[in-house]
């Protein structure tokens, strides 16, 4: 009976079950059917990057449909990899609805993808899979012609998990989204 006290110290239901972590082992572009769209095929497939990363100090890419104007309003936007939604809100004038997904790469490194000017948000929290719908393309609360503002951030980004500015001459922490995806498709 010497161990009677010890057995009571055991948790009633054993250790908490480990929550499986989605690993981002593969990436794809956030727009277009299947996985057919790439920046290398701008204007050859249905979509193009109208303002590239770094152009005019742009911290992301602006994805538009070739058909122009607002013909892409309401088109689906997809998660570029497995991950977890860590931000989903109306970020105010100029941004509209924004979703940020945190991705864990196979080596444990974390990156974030940001989807801006969304018309609607599909899901506001929890895990999300590669090519699962994030929301739809919008106009940033009426500020722009419809397009997707798309960013890719590294862990040391000063606006990790936040909406900040879409343009800055200091891009430390942001990476070229298409370049990143192309290496991991
Ligand atoms: Zn933009």
């Amino acid at each position: 009976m010497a161990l009677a006290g010890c057995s009571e110290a055991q948790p009633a239901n054993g250790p908490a079950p480990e929550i499986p972590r989605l690993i981002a082992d593969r990436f794809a572009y956030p727009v277009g059917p299947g996985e057919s769209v790439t920046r290398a095929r701008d204007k050859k497939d249905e979509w193009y990057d109208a303002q590239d990363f770094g152009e005019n100090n742009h911290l992301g890419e602006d994805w538009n449909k070739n058909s122009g104007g607002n013909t892409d309003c309401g088109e689906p936007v997809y998660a570029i990899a497995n991950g977890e939604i860590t931000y989903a809100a109306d970020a105010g004038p100029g941004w509209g609805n924004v979703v940020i997904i945190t991705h864990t790469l196979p080596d444990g490194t974390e990156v974030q993808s940001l989807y801006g000017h969304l018309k609607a948000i599909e899901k506001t929290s929890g895990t999300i899979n590669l090519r699962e719908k994030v929301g739809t393309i919008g106009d940033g609360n009426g500020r722009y012609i419809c397009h997707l503002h798309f960013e890719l951030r590294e862990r040391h980004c000063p606006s990790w998990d936040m909406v900040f500015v879409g343009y800055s001459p200091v891009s430390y922490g942001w990476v070229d989204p298409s370049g990143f995806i192309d290496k991991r498709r």
Side-chain angles (χ1 to χ4, degrees):
M1 292 300 118
L3 295 173
C6 291
S7 64
E8 283 171 24
Q10 295 291 326
N13 300 313
E18 203 170 301
I19 297 160
R21 256 191 125 176
L22 281 175
I23 298 299
D25 50 357
R26 203 165 67 76
F27 283 74
Y29 281 70
V31 292
E35 296 182 18
S36 58
V37 170
T38 65
R39 187 177 54 188
R41 288 172 46 81
D42 269 9
K43 304 269 181 162
K44 295 189 190 89
D45 55 35
E46 255 192 305
W47 295 78
Y48 73 105
D49 171 14
Q51 187 174 224
D52 206 4
F53 177 75
E55 191 179 340
N56 306 314
N57 296 324
H58 197 216
L59 294 173
E61 293 174 342
D62 287 341
W63 282 90
N64 285 262
K65 221 170 176 182
N66 293 345
S67 39
N70 282 328
T71 55
D72 46 11
C73 289
E75 287 277 348
V77 172
Y78 304 104
I80 60 166
N82 297 336
E84 187 182 356
I85 298 167
T86 48
Y87 180 100
D90 184 341
W95 278 100
N97 290 314
V98 175
V99 169
I100 298 175
I101 300 175
T102 301
H103 308 281
T104 305
L105 304 182
D107 69 359
T109 307
E110 287 183 322
V111 297
Q112 286 187 332
S113 54
L114 177 147
Y115 312 80
H117 313 324
L118 298 176
K119 184 176 180 182
I121 294 174
E122 188 78 7
K123 199 175 166 186
T124 56
S125 64
T127 56
I128 191 160
N129 294 307
L130 169 71
R131 293 296 290 181
E132 195 178 331
K133 194 173 167 187
V134 169
T136 52
I137 287 187
D139 58 9
N141 294 339
R143 185 107 152 209
Y144 306 108
I145 292 170
C146 282
H147 69 275
L148 171 68
H149 174 84
F150 170 54
E151 295 181 14
L152 211 291
R153 288 116 164 251
E154 295 178 321
R155 191 65 187 82
H156 54 268
C157 180
S159 63
W160 182 259
D161 231 13
M162 291 187 302
V163 174
F164 185 41
V165 289
Y167 297 85
S168 171
V170 182
S171 61
Y172 180 72
W174 281 265
V175 294
D176 175 357
S178 288
F180 185 92
I181 292 170
D182 286 342
K183 281 184 228 148
R184 293 166 180 83
R185 293 182 74 215

